[in-house]
Amino acid sequence: MPTPRVQAGQTHPQPGHGTPSSQPLGAACRCPHHRPVPAGERPPSGGDAVTLPDTLPEVFRVVDLSGVLLNGILGGLIARRKNFDVVGFVVLAILTATAGGILRDVMIQAGPPFALTDPYYLYAACVGALVAWFARFESRPARRLLVVADAVVLGTWAATGAYKALNAGLGVMPALLLGCITAVGGSMIRDVSVGETPAVFGGNKLYAIPAFCAAATQVAVVRLGGNADLALLAATCVGASLCLLAYWRSWKLPVVSDRERRRMERQVSEVVGAGRLGVLRRRRPRVGVVPPPAPGAGVVPPALVAEGEAGPGAE
C-alpha cells in the first residue's frame, strides 16, 4: 500500500494517539507522550542507579592529585621508619597513593583504572616518595600539616569513590563500600605489605568512620536530588571535620580488651559491695591515726602490786 504524501502545512497522524495532531509536518511534537523529559525528571535507569555528571570539577582533580602526593609522602615515611631503600620508598608510596582507587575501579569494571590511564597520578606518588626520602617531617608544624591535609584528602577520596559508584549505576551499599575502600584501601594494603596490622582495624584514632560518614553524605545528597558537585563539597567537609575532630579529641572505637577490662571491674565492684575486699587485698591502717587501746590495757594485775603499795587510782 503506497504511503500517502502529506503536503507542507498539513497535519499528520500521530501513531498510537488515534487523532491527528494539529502540529505541522516537521514540527516537534508537544504532546505529553512525546515531550522530551528533562534530565532532572528522568527516572533512574534501574533500581538504585543515579545519573550523575561524567567528569569531576577541576578543583576536585587538584585536591585528588594533592592527595596522591600526600599519601606518597606518608608511604615514604613508613619506608623511612622501616629503613627501606629507594625501591621500598617508591613502592610504598605508589601503594599508599593509588591502591585504593585502583581497587575501586577494578571492582566497578569501568575500564582500566584511572590511576594507570592518567600519568600524573604515578608521577605525584613518586614525587611524594622523593620528598619523604629527603625530608623527615619531625617538627610539630609539619606533623600538623600532614594531619590536616590527610583529613581533607580522606573526605575527598571517600566522596569520589561513592560518586563513581553511583555514576556506574550501583546502589547505596556498594557506593558506601567503594567510598570507604577508596579512602582507606591504600593504607591497608601498605600496612599489610610491611607486615603490620592495618591501622584502621582498631586501637587508633577514628579513620574509617569519617570516611564512611563522607561517603554516606555523598549518597544521601545525591539520592535526595541534590547537585552532585555540591554533594562532593559537603561530603568532603563532613569527612575532613570528623577526622580532625577525632584526632583532636583522641576518639577511638572500643576494642575487645576494653570490654574484658570493664567486665573485670564489675566483678571487683561486686566483691567490694559484698564485703569480701579482704580476700583480694590486705587491709592497710590509715596513716597518722593511732589505734584505740585494747580493753584493760591500763589496768595493773593484782599480783604485780607490791604489798603496802596502792594500786592505780588510790590516794
Side-chain angles (χ1 to χ4, degrees):
M1 179 177 179
T3 303
R5 294 184 177 181
V6 182
Q7 301 295 331
Q10 295 180 351
T11 60
H12 65 284
Q14 299 293 335
H17 286 235
T19 57
S21 170
S22 59
Q23 296 292 331
L25 182 64
C29 179
R30 296 187 178 90
C31 61
H33 299 280
H34 290 85
R35 180 177 61 87
V37 181
E41 300 179 7
R42 293 175 186 171
S45 56
D48 295 331
V50 179
T51 303
L52 296 176
D54 295 332
T55 58
L56 290 173
E58 289 300 322
V59 61
F60 286 100
R61 173 174 170 79
V62 172
V63 175
D64 196 17
L65 287 174
S66 302
V68 173
L69 175 64
L70 171 68
N71 279 269
I73 294 175
L74 295 178
L77 292 179
I78 299 296
R80 174 182 289 276
R81 179 166 58 86
K82 293 291 185 178
N83 198 25
F84 289 170
D85 57 9
V86 178
V87 176
F89 271 73
V90 174
V91 170
L92 286 186
I94 292 177
L95 286 178
T96 308
T98 63
I102 291 176
L103 184 59
R104 174 204 63 210
D105 293 341
V106 170
M107 296 177 69
I108 293 178
Q109 296 182 356
F114 192 71
L116 301 181
T117 58
D118 190 340
Y120 290 104
Y121 282 77
L122 294 179
Y123 292 155
C126 293
V127 170
L130 293 178
V131 171
W133 175 268
F134 291 104
R136 293 181 176 272
F137 291 93
E138 294 179 348
S139 63
R140 178 173 296 182
R143 290 289 183 180
R144 289 182 176 178
L145 177 62
L146 289 178
V147 169
V148 174
D150 188 34
V152 175
V153 172
L154 174 77
T156 303
W157 282 4
T160 304
Y163 175 100
K164 290 190 174 182
L166 293 176
N167 201 26
L170 300 179
V172 173
M173 290 302 295
L176 296 177
L177 174 63
L178 292 178
C180 294
I181 288 178
T182 306
V184 304
S187 62
M188 293 175 59
I189 296 177
R190 175 203 64 203
D191 293 342
V192 172
S193 299
V194 298
E196 296 180 355
T197 303
V200 298
F201 284 175
N204 298 282
K205 298 179 179 66
L206 296 183
Y207 199 75
I209 296 300
F212 177 83
C213 293
T217 302
Q218 173 72 27
V219 173
V221 173
V222 172
R223 296 288 291 177
L224 292 176
N227 183 270
D229 296 339
L230 295 179
L232 281 171
L233 180 60
T236 301
C237 293
V238 169
S241 301
L242 286 178
C243 187
L244 290 176
L245 190 60
Y247 182 84
W248 176 50
R249 303 290 296 177
S250 297
W251 287 346
K252 299 179 181 180
L253 290 178
V255 294
V256 177
S257 59
D258 296 336
R259 186 179 61 181
E260 295 296 330
R261 187 182 68 253
R262 288 194 297 267
R263 184 175 63 85
M264 293 297 298
E265 290 176 353
R266 286 196 302 267
Q267 292 180 354
V268 171
S269 62
E270 291 175 358
V271 171
V272 173
R276 292 178 292 174
L277 182 60
V279 178
L280 300 180
R281 64 180 182 180
R282 297 178 59 185
R283 187 172 183 179
R284 299 178 180 178
R286 296 175 59 185
V287 179
V289 178
V290 179
V299 179
V300 180
L304 299 180
V305 179
E307 185 178 353
E309 294 182 357
E315 295 182 358

